[in-house]
Every structure is written in C-alpha cells, then in structure tokens.
Amino acid sequence: MNTHPTGADHPADAARYADADAARYADATRAVRAGLPEPVKNEPTLPGPVFAAHFHLPGEVSGPYTYGRDTNPTWTLLERAIGELEAPGQDGVDTVVFASGMAAVSAVLLSQARTGDTVVLPDDGYQALPLVREQLQEYGIHVRTAPTAEDAQLAALDGARLLWIETPSNPGLDVCDVRRLVAAAHAGGTLVAVDNTLATPLGQRPLELGADFSVASGTKGLTGHGDLLLGYVVCRDPALAAGIRRWRKVVGAIPGPMEAWLAHRSLATIQLRAERQWGNALAVAEALAHRSEVTGLRYPGLPSDPSHKTAARQMSGFGSVVSFTLPDRAYAERFMSALRLVEDATSFGGVRSTAERRGRWGGDAVPEGFIRFSAGAEDPGDLVADVLRALDSAGSGG
Ligand code: PLP
C-alpha cells in the first residue's frame, strides 16, 4: 500500500497541488503552513525525513514511491511548499528540488538546449555561469551574453531557444524588467528562466511576471541558516516539468531527505527572516550612503539606486544583499577583519550577516575593494554600529 503523505495519487500531483486558500493569505501565514499535509490524528504536523533508498514494491511497478532517486515523500512536501510560495494558489505548478542551486540551473539549461540552439545568458550573473557557458559550447550550443542593466539582453534574443535572467544580479545588483523581456522573448518563441535566488519567492514571483521557469539556489535566503545546499525549479508547463524531472533522474542530482526536511522546516520562518534581513540591508545601505570612503553603493531598495524603479514594479522586497566599493584591496581587507558581527564568508541570505571582498575569487568583473554584504537577522542598531565601527577602523589604518 502506498502511504503518500498528501493522499495524492502521484508525487507530481502533490507537487502540483495548490492550497486553494494560499493566494489570499499573507506571506507569513502561507510560509508557516506551506506544504503541510492534511492533519492525521497522532501524526506530526510536518512528517519527519523519510530515509529510503527503495520502497516496498511487490508485484507490478506502480507509484508514487518506488526508488529513492526518482521520488521521496520528504521532497514531495518540500516541493509543494516551494510551489505554494513561488506561485500561490496557482494550479498546475510543478516544483522539482535538486541537490544544489547549480544542479537546478544546469537542469534547466542542459535539459532544454540542444546542439545548434542559442542560449542568452547575463554576463554579470553568478560566477559559475561562465563555466556553464563553456559546457554549453562544448555541446555545440551557441551562447550570447549581455548585461542585466537596462534590459540589454533584449538585443540578443533573436532566434534564441532560452533566455536566462538573473535579477537582481549577483554581485552587481542590477535589475532588469522581467515582464518586458518575457514579452519580447515569447514573441520570438524563446523560453525564459529567471534565477530567483537573491529575491527569494517572498521578494519576487517570476511565474507571475510571465517566466517559464523560476530557478533558485535554496542554499541562500530560502532556507537561511547556512547549513544546507539545495536548488529548485518551478514551472507551469507539464512538458517542461517532465523534462526537468527526467534530467534529475538521469543525473541523480537529488537532495538528501535530511536536507529536504531541514529546508522545509526552515521555510516556516522565511517571512520573519526576510522582514528582518531586508530591513537590516536597507539600514546598512542607508548608513553606507553617508560615508565618503564608500563608492558604487548598490541596493535595489534604496530609492536613489539605479535599479529601484524597475525593482519596485516587480518585487515585493529587495533582498538582503548590499554591494559597495572601498578605496582599495588593503582598505577592504582591513574593513573585513575589523567586523565583529559579520562573518567573512561567501554565500548570502543567512541569519548571520556575512560579507566578503569579492575580488579574492577572481572571475567577477569587480574592483579590488568591492564588498558583497549580506545582512543577517541581528538587531539593526548593533549591525549598523558594527559596520560603521569597522569602516572607522579601516580608515584609520586598522
Ligand atoms: N544562482 C545564484 C544567483 C547564486 O548566487 C548561486 C550561488 O551562490 C547559485 C545560483 C548556485 O547555488 P548553489 O551554490 O546552491 O549551487
């Protein structure tokens, strides 16, 4: 007998299931309830992780759970939860979780593009995109690139199979007009995928803006504790979704049940975390705006930011990441080592503030003194004071 936690006939049905009330709830309500199964007497509200490589399967092969690389009840609930946040109340939305954000990114690009196709990528996106570009080119797929700002990708769309958008972009925090790009892309038969990592589904809903795929690293703000890697793809077209599921099965880039369960547990607090972290990001950005040693300050939530107008039209929150430039590498290093509440670490979106001198990796076209700062959930006064004190310390030679 199948013991599917949602009572649906097949996991994909469960992933597509949308709580009829989800659309009318506020984000906080939706977040704490997202993906929960119907209550069953004496069962936990959120069933624990199901650790299984295989499931009992006597006789004829039938679903929903057969083999652990194909399906797992813990993924089913998480997929349903993410789908409810990305596309509240919408029927037919299918979510597929992956072992990491890059597994999700690769699943879309490599399952959709064929030899001879053209793919359009941003040239200022996540630093692994150039590696993806090389891989696509090795398969005979043509790649065009253009910056995110001012919708420059519009000029590269002609005849493309897929447009990849990253907005806000990491680390430059430029924003493009998703609706405008989608309209132009769809007019020419081009599919559109949006990397929604930085905004999270609370800050931006790409499917509602018309995109075919919303793709993200769940490693960052979605789960927010810096303790797991996860990725996901959400789409509405069953044929596209089937291609993504098939890719996951073939490549086997699956999340472990423990990570999937931890992610689901973390989703309950996403609205609380986002509210505090986004508020802290704005407070840090506002404080930095008054500092003469800071140049190139970017935060889409700052009314003076070049991205703000477009961001405000399509986002409901502006994320936890702020970027800015200090006079030189040594200055930036002094700043980093003077911080006490902010960890020097890559990644972003976690409850503990992190920052890094991005140039230490190479690969991003950023100045030596460029800092990518991710605001955590600390008290805003404490956090801003720490940043200002570290700036003073860096300015006085450390
Ligand atoms: N997309 C963006 C915008 C990212 O910043 C990252 C990672 O930093 C990824 C995708 C890849 O995610 P992961 O590290 O979970 O593979």
Side-chain angles (χ1 to χ4, degrees):
M1 202 182 97
N2 295 314
T3 53
H4 190 276
T6 64
D9 293 336
H10 187 274
D13 294 337
R16 288 195 195 105
Y17 166 90
D19 183 334
D21 288 326
R24 68 178 175 81
Y25 291 144
D27 284 341
T29 310
R30 203 164 24 243
V32 297
R33 301 217 58 83
L36 296 181
E38 289 302 316
V40 176
K41 190 173 180 186
N42 304 133
E43 293 291 326
T45 305
L46 175 63
V50 176
F51 297 102
H54 57 261
F55 299 83
H56 288 299
L57 192 60
E60 291 297 310
V61 173
S62 62
Y65 300 108
T66 55
Y67 186 62
R69 178 165 32 77
D70 295 349
T71 48
N72 176 294
T74 310
W75 304 346
T76 304
L77 296 179
L78 175 62
E79 288 175 341
R80 180 174 144 189
I82 294 172
E84 283 176 21
L85 295 179
E86 282 274 351
Q90 288 189 35
D91 286 329
V93 170
D94 202 345
T95 302
V96 188
V97 288
F98 285 88
S100 68
M102 282 316 296
V105 169
S106 304
V108 173
L109 287 163
L110 296 168
S111 73
Q112 297 306 317
R114 304 277 177 278
T115 304
D117 283 347
T118 298
V119 166
V120 180
L121 299 178
D123 63 15
D124 51 356
Y126 177 51
Q127 64 174 1
L129 283 183
L131 291 175
V132 173
R133 176 189 181 156
E134 279 173 29
Q135 194 64 50
L136 292 169
Q137 286 170 331
E138 281 182 20
Y139 293 143
I141 296 159
H142 307 292
V143 179
R144 293 186 202 132
T145 62
T148 301
E150 293 174 18
D151 306 335
Q153 288 175 302
L154 277 177
L157 286 182
D158 194 27
R161 161 88 182 140
L162 182 80
L163 166 65
W164 189 269
I165 293 172
E166 190 180 298
T167 181
S169 60
N170 169 24
L173 303 180
D174 276 316
V175 167
C176 55
D177 184 335
V178 178
R179 284 193 196 87
R180 183 178 179 216
L181 283 156
V182 164
H186 284 176
T190 304
L191 292 169
V192 181
V194 176
D195 185 322
N196 206 28
T197 302
L198 212 135
T200 81
L202 257 61
Q204 178 168 269
R205 295 190 194 135
L207 295 197
E208 288 179 5
L209 299 172
D212 301 285
F213 301 97
S214 180
V215 189
S217 166
T219 313
K220 320 287 176 192
L222 186 87
T223 58
H225 292 71
D227 52 10
L228 61 88
L229 282 105
L230 188 85
Y232 68 84
V233 178
V234 187
C235 57
R236 207 182 284 109
D237 181 318
L240 295 179
I244 302 294
R245 284 193 180 275
R246 180 171 175 272
W247 181 266
R248 183 177 67 181
K249 177 171 177 155
V250 169
V251 174
I254 55 169
M258 190 67 203
E259 279 79 1
W261 183 83
L262 276 173
H264 197 163
R265 185 181 191 268
S266 303
L267 278 186
T269 56
I270 188 174
Q271 194 278 337
L272 282 172
R273 288 185 279 110
E275 192 171 79
R276 172 61 69 91
Q277 290 179 239
W278 298 351
N280 279 355
L282 183 61
V284 168
E286 283 170 343
L288 292 172
H290 294 105
R291 299 291 297 214
S292 58
E293 69 274 55
V294 169
T295 54
L297 173 65
R298 297 298 306 269
Y299 182 62
L302 273 181
S304 56
D305 190 275
S307 292
H308 183 70
K309 237 172 101 185
T310 309
R313 273 204 309 271
Q314 66 192 20
M315 300 179 76
S316 45
F318 304 108
S320 62
V321 181
V322 177
S323 65
F324 58 97
T325 301
L326 293 174
D328 54 41
R329 175 180 173 158
Y331 207 112
E333 286 172 346
R334 288 198 301 277
F335 169 69
M336 286 304 312
S337 50
L339 290 164
R340 290 190 196 130
L341 295 178
V342 183
E343 291 166 16
D344 190 343
T346 197
S347 203
F348 55 86
V351 289
R352 293 172 207 90
S353 290
T354 56
E356 71 172 336
R357 194 183 69 78
R358 194 65 185 165
R360 64 184 178 173
W361 292 91
D364 290 321
V366 294
E368 286 288 349
F370 181 97
I371 303 286
R372 187 182 69 186
F373 187 99
S374 173
E378 299 85 0
D379 175 82
D382 290 342
L383 183 61
V384 169
D386 194 46
V387 170
L388 296 180
R389 192 195 39 72
L391 282 176
D392 288 342
S393 168
S396 66

